[in-house]
Amino acid sequence: QVQLVESGGGLVQAGGSLRLSCAASGRTLSSYAMGWFRQAPGKEREFVAHINWSGGSTFYADSVKGRFTISRDNAKNTVYLQMNSLKTEDTAVYYCAAWIGGSLYSQNRYNPWGQGTQVTVSS
């Protein structure tokens, strides 16, 4: 089974940018479509973005469309989330996960998950 490790989180001012990485080991990432989710304090985990195995199809939550870009480099076994024009409401722990089929917007259709990386956007 693939193991996933996120990195790249941190503290950034509103309007700034961060790039998150999700590195895979154990199996080649090209076997999986992948997703990014986030969970803010006191809120449920929510869908952020999804990318198919080749990178040719991407999907985004309305709240991040036009600001975030999901991409992948299968040769490096890594998926990325480029986050621009960050807002305070983007503050959350961000998780990557492998899609197992079904609704790509549902966290129940993803397994396994990484441990998450904290993104904090200050005003």
Side-chain angles (χ1 to χ4, degrees), residues 47-114:
F47 171 80
V48 174
H50 174 101
I51 189 167
N52 76 334
W53 70 273
S54 69
S57 293
T58 56
F59 302 86
Y60 297 94
D62 287 344
S63 58
V64 307
K65 203 171 294 184
R67 299 188 298 121
F68 290 11
T69 302
I70 188 171
S71 63
R72 65 191 300 155
D73 185 338
N74 287 336
K76 295 183 178 180
N77 245 17
T78 303
V79 175
Y80 303 99
L81 186 68
Q82 177 67 43
M83 306 186 296
N84 298 329
S85 302
L86 282 161
K87 305 176 181 180
T88 55
E89 51 262 45
D90 294 319
T91 295
V93 178
Y94 283 71
Y95 301 89
C96 66
W99 185 58
I100 58 175
S103 170
L104 56 88
Y105 301 103
S106 171
Q107 61 174 315
N108 296 324
R109 305 311 303 166
Y110 289 81
N111 185 60
W113 293 77

Side-chain angles (χ1 to χ4, degrees), residues 37-41 45 90-95 115-119:
F37 285 72
R38 67 186 181 185
Q39 187 167 21
R45 193 173 298 186
D90 294 319
T91 295
V93 178
Y94 283 71
Y95 301 89
Q115 84 291 346
T117 185
Q118 176 72 47
V119 172

